[in-house]
């Protein structure tokens, strides 16, 4: 485990709501200097029994506070200002989005991807009048290397990508529900072609080389990109 910190929630604000599902921004203290924008972290609420760990993305990080953005399902316990949280991350620095990276995603998932702009990444967001595949082809003719391309898209879109770009090997974001968050329960495992045991996305994710991943099985195992 690379990061384990006790933090305090300073404030919350609701970014978006869809029925009882909410997307919250948590301003927290206690992560100064330890995290970077776009990083995936996990958290549990101290003093409460949570059935699974929660996933958040670091939206901003300054010298004394950080903002985490996270989705809360109707049965999730949202923290309050003043609550203590344990925050951890196992994220491997072997694959990281940074300057020169191109990250492709859709509007609903942008809240987890937009922070990478602060690291120098360029974002390509699906929207009206934008054909992602055409945009990628244009980017490649400008000399972009697939190893600098990161796709945060639903598995069905990844299958369409693989058909449109045979042999291309960008990184893909495995959006998985988590339970333990430490590699012990197998709930977040990604099926890969080179290991029958798969890989724990909580320890080695969230980015995996596309050519390693069984996209058909990912389609049935992954969480929605919302
Ligand atoms: S959440 Fe348990 S192995 Fe990843």
């Amino acid at each position: 485990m690379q990061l384990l910190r006790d933090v305090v929630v300073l404030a919350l604000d609701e970014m978006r709501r869809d029925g009882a599902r909410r997307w919250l921004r948590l301003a927290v203290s206690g992560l100064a200097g330890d995290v970077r924008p776009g990083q995936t972290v996990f958290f549990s609420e101290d003093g409460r029994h949570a059935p699974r760990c929660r996933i958040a993305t670091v939206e901003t990080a300054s010298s004394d506070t950080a903002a985490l953005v996270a989705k809360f399902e109707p049965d999730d316990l949202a923290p309050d200002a003043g609550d203590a949280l344990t925050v951890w991350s196992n994220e491997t620095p072997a694959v990281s989005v940074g300057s020169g990276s191109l990250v492709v995603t859709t509007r609903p998932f942008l809240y987890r991807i937009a922070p990478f702009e602060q690291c120098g990444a360029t974002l390509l967001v699906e929207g009206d009048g934008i054909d992602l595949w055409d945009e990628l082809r244009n980017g490649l003719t400008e000399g972009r290397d697939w190893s600098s391309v990161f796709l945060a898209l639903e598995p069905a879109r990844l299958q369409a990508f693989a058909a449109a770009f045979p042999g291309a090997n960008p990184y893909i974001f495995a959006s998985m529900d988590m339970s333990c968050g430490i590699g012990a329960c197998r709930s977040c495992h990604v099926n890969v072609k080179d290991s029958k045991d798969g890989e724990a996305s909580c320890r080695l994710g969230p980015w995996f080389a596309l050519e390693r991943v069984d996209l058909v099985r990912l389609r049935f195992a992954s969480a929605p990109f919302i």
Side-chain angles (χ1 to χ4, degrees):
M1 190 170 297
Q2 298 171 3
L3 166 71
L4 178 65
R5 294 285 182 275
D6 291 327
V7 310
V8 174
V9 178
L10 304 174
L12 292 93
D13 70 275
E14 187 174 292
M15 306 163 63
R16 179 158 51 112
R17 177 185 280 270
D18 180 6
R21 177 182 286 151
R22 296 184 296 161
W23 289 258
L24 300 179
R25 176 182 291 108
L26 316 179
V28 301
S29 64
L31 285 176
D34 288 330
V35 291
R36 66 183 188 285
Q39 184 173 353
T40 296
V41 298
F42 308 114
F43 66 95
S44 63
E45 297 164 65
D46 290 353
R48 293 180 179 176
H49 174 72
R52 57 189 170 86
C53 74
R54 311 283 172 70
I55 304 170
T57 295
V58 178
E59 184 181 54
T60 58
S62 70
S63 58
D64 51 0
T65 63
L68 308 179
V69 291
K71 176 184 62 171
F72 286 80
E73 299 290 352
D75 60 345
D76 288 340
L77 298 174
D80 294 316
D83 283 355
L85 300 177
T86 299
V87 175
W88 70 99
S89 176
N90 314 305
E91 196 171 296
T92 170
V95 179
S96 58
V97 178
S99 178
S101 300
L102 174 67
V103 195
V104 183
T105 194
T106 56
R107 294 202 181 283
F109 205 61
L110 189 55
Y111 73 103
R112 292 194 62 182
I113 298 301
F116 286 124
E117 275 191 313
Q118 298 167 62
C119 305
T122 300
L123 305 187
L124 174 57
V125 184
E126 185 178 41
D128 292 344
I130 295 180
D131 183 311
L132 291 181
W133 298 172
D134 280 350
E135 294 286 335
L136 280 172
R137 282 192 189 90
N138 293 339
L140 288 172
T141 60
E142 292 165 9
R144 190 175 294 280
D145 178 348
W146 282 118
S147 65
S148 67
V149 176
F150 296 76
L151 307 180
L153 298 169
E154 294 279 358
R157 304 295 307 282
L158 297 174
Q159 289 179 286
F161 170 87
F165 295 86
N169 188 30
Y171 291 102
I172 63 173
F173 193 105
S175 177
M176 314 297 284
D177 285 328
M178 304 287 170
S179 184
C180 69
I182 57 172
C185 74
R186 295 190 60 84
S187 68
C188 72
H189 273 51
V190 173
N191 293 293
V192 293
K193 298 170 184 171
D194 52 13
S195 170
K196 64 178 175 45
D197 294 330
E199 298 278 25
S201 59
C202 66
R203 291 185 58 243
L204 299 173
W207 300 106
F208 291 86
L210 178 143
E211 69 178 11
R212 288 193 72 200
V213 177
D214 182 333
L215 295 179
V216 174
R217 296 177 76 178
L218 184 70
R219 190 166 177 169
F220 294 102
S222 68
F225 280 69
I226 53 178

